[in-house]
Amino acid sequence: MTDVGCVREINEDSILTTPESGVWLVADGMGGHAAGDFASQTIAAEIDTIGIPGDAVDLRARFMDRLTRANTQILNHAATLDDGTIGSTVAALLTSQGHYACIWSGDSRVYRLRGAVLTQITEDHTEVRALLDAGAITQAEADVWPRKNVITHAIGVSPVPECGMLEGSLADKDVFLICSDGLTEYYHNDELERVMNAAGNDLEGLCAELVETVRTRGGKDNVSVVTVLCRQVPLAGFEADGMFPEFGGAL
């Protein structure tokens, strides 16, 4: 679900859900109308061409190839405008053969709920996060930092995409949440954990609740959420019709 929010006129977020390819993503554009929305839409459109990958390695390679293409298109488009740099964050979940990879650039996030415990998989590419990691400011200072929304990485602002990646194994009943910062501006991780646990398997209801809560709290930015429930499916059995002596060692 994606929503323009309560203040802005243009939705610069884009979402993509392609379970047949094993890819789900949120992209949050920056640069204003005809710029930020172009950037996020370009990312979604390129990733949508991945098709059916052969395995997890192939999926990651196809994803980064399309993301690089999108990066180039955004840079070329920015060169035709007088408004300076444009770009988009991206946060993506890739799944294949019982494994996942999270790839991101900027401050859109991926969370995983496993066994009632919520884990933030991604780490924000922001100025305030860098200051926290360096020990230059405290968490209390970070919460009110005047430049806490300044991002240090995005697609379309450097010659090649600058991304983080984390991989792991999927588990039955894992729930992933992919979101733009329009959600995390209004939710702390502990509240997200409570809401996601209460929702159970009602992912549509969860998305609706998250977006509506953001709107009731002011909704200064666009907000986008994608939720994914993972289920372990046993291999299908089969029956052989007839006798095959080679299976019995007769040949």
Side-chain angles (χ1 to χ4, degrees), residues 40-101:
S40 68
Q41 290 167 14
T42 298
I43 292 171
E46 281 293 340
I47 300 302
D48 197 26
T49 69
I50 281 178
I52 309 299
D55 55 24
V57 174
D58 184 31
L59 175 56
R60 288 195 301 275
R62 293 189 190 202
F63 182 90
M64 291 308 302
D65 172 70
R66 271 62 171 185
L67 196 61
T68 301
R69 290 187 205 172
N71 190 76
T72 300
Q73 290 184 47
I74 296 166
L75 285 169
N76 291 341
H77 184 66
T80 69
L81 304 175
D82 297 325
D83 298 331
T85 300
I86 65 174
S88 176
T89 72
V90 66
L93 170 69
L94 285 60
T95 66
S96 178
Q97 301 171 320
H99 294 83
Y100 73 85

Side-chain angles (χ1 to χ4, degrees), residues 84-139:
T85 300
I86 65 174
S88 176
T89 72
V90 66
L93 170 69
L94 285 60
T95 66
S96 178
Q97 301 171 320
H99 294 83
Y100 73 85
C102 294
I103 300 176
W104 73 97
S105 184
D107 59 357
S108 293
R109 295 178 178 177
V110 182
Y111 293 88
R112 184 195 65 207
L113 184 70
R114 175 179 290 177
V117 176
L118 186 69
T119 301
Q120 182 180 328
I121 302 295
T122 58
E123 183 174 286
D124 296 345
H125 294 142
T126 59
E127 179 183 283
V128 72
R129 183 71 256 173
L131 291 170
L132 274 170
D133 290 345
I137 60 174
T138 66
Q139 184 59 59

Side-chain angles (χ1 to χ4, degrees), residues 19 24 93 95 111-114 170-178 196 199-204 206-207 226-233:
W24 297 261
L93 170 69
T95 66
Y111 293 88
R112 184 195 65 207
L113 184 70
R114 175 179 290 177
L170 295 169
D172 190 39
K173 300 181 182 179
D174 277 349
V175 177
F176 287 88
L177 168 67
I178 313 161
M196 292 180 68
N201 292 343
D202 181 13
L203 300 191
E204 290 187 6
L206 172 60
C207 288
V226 173
T227 52
V228 183
L229 171 64
C230 301
R231 298 305 304 264
Q232 185 172 6
V233 179

